[in-house]
Amino acid sequence: MVSAILTFLIFAVSYYGEVVGNFTFTLDRVAQDAGITMYESLRDKDYTARLISDKVENAEGMTGYCGTEYYNGEFGEDVCLPSDLEVSSVDGNNNGESYIVYTFYVENLGDVMVDLEAEMNIISTSRDAEEALRVRIIIDGVGTTYAKRQSERGDSPGELEPLTEAFYSANLVMQEELTEFMPGDIMKVTVMIWYEGVDADHTINLVGGGVKLDMNFTISHIYGQDDF
């Protein structure tokens, strides 16, 4: 099940910044032909190849460090991000005022096991907004937060931001091989996006800036009898 992680194949996040658009999850034709589908509600499985979240009007700084050793500032829902359990407790849109949250389900309705390749690209940025960006992906309750390594403004330039995994490269947030997505498997996926208010790069320079992301998932292998 862990290997089955994220099957929303082609997921695009539109401009996220002072002007924050919605983002779209799309299954490509290869995935659809293999029987991969997705839906917003586990109770009401409205199978589709496309899901769209609501947008956030203003993306002010939030922080995921509340309650950790990395934060000694003010607390409250207008500053501190909610827990994984809370953000993923609502199917579909569950945005805050300054962060995007969307939860959906991916199911393998086909009759074969597949391997997936996931890649989230940074399509464009303005005003270095990606320096303070955080992307958290929660799969069946297990979350990973991605961020750029610390810039020259940070306490330890070149090192990881606290409690994060580094962006895969300058233009890739993440790239991962996801294996053995079995027929009948269902994954609960929550995506959360925000600007980290405690990040040293979260400055007045971000005002009016934004990041455009594109996340692509494709089937890299379809298993057959010969594989066994």
Side-chain angles (χ1 to χ4, degrees):
M1 290 299 293
V2 173
S3 300
I5 311 182
L6 308 171
T7 320
F8 39 104
L9 300 114
I10 301 184
F11 143 50
V13 182
S14 299
Y15 291 104
Y16 184 79
E18 282 296 300
V19 178
V20 187
N22 51 25
F23 56 90
T24 304
F25 304 84
T26 310
L27 293 171
D28 70 6
R29 177 54 58 184
V30 176
Q32 294 177 56
D33 290 345
I36 307 302
T37 190
M38 57 186 177
Y39 39 85
E40 187 175 278
S41 172
L42 190 60
R43 293 183 178 180
D44 182 16
K45 295 183 179 182
D46 186 10
Y47 299 127
T48 183
R50 180 182 175 87
L51 292 168
I52 302 176
S53 79
D54 289 341
K55 65 181 180 179
V56 171
E57 297 294 344
N58 297 291
E60 298 180 359
M62 300 291 292
T63 183
Y65 295 143
C66 292
T68 74
E69 62 183 297
Y70 304 104
Y71 185 72
N72 59 2
E74 296 181 357
F75 291 82
E77 63 180 15
D78 58 337
V79 177
C80 299
L81 288 167
S83 67
D84 287 0
L85 182 62
E86 185 175 350
V87 297
S88 61
S89 64
V90 177
D91 291 347
N93 295 290
N94 193 18
N95 294 347
E97 289 189 10
S98 297
Y99 57 89
I100 289 175
V101 175
Y102 191 75
T103 296
F104 63 100
Y105 299 85
V106 180
E107 184 171 354
N108 185 350
L109 291 178
D111 55 6
V112 295
M113 182 170 64
V114 300
D115 290 345
L116 306 172
E117 185 175 272
E119 183 177 276
M120 180 185 283
N121 305 283
I122 299 175
I123 303 302
S124 64
T125 68
S126 59
R127 305 186 70 86
D128 295 327
E130 80 282 3
E131 296 290 343
L133 188 72
R134 296 293 188 272
V135 177
R136 185 163 180 81
I137 301 174
I138 307 166
I139 309 298
D140 292 332
V142 179
T144 301
T145 300
Y146 298 92
K148 287 196 70 172
R149 290 180 178 271
Q150 295 184 43
S151 71
E152 293 302 318
R153 293 190 182 94
D155 294 332
S156 303
E159 297 298 316
L160 294 173
E161 294 286 359
L163 307 180
T164 71
E165 296 288 337
F167 283 2
Y168 188 82
S169 69
N171 297 316
L172 283 175
V173 172
M174 56 84 73
Q175 185 179 68
E176 191 169 349
E177 187 75 20
L178 313 168
T179 60
E180 298 182 354
F181 188 32
M182 299 285 292
D185 281 352
I186 301 175
M187 294 179 293
K188 183 178 183 179
V189 182
T190 299
V191 177
M192 187 175 190
I193 305 172
W194 74 98
Y195 287 127
E196 178 52 59
V198 178
D199 194 304
D201 290 292
H202 190 272
T203 68
I204 192 65
N205 293 331
L206 288 183
V207 175
V211 179
K212 187 176 183 180
L213 303 173
D214 175 87
M215 190 171 185
N216 302 300
F217 287 75
T218 187
I219 291 177
S220 58
H221 182 68
I222 298 177
Y223 288 83
Q225 289 185 337
D226 292 344
D227 296 297
F228 303 97

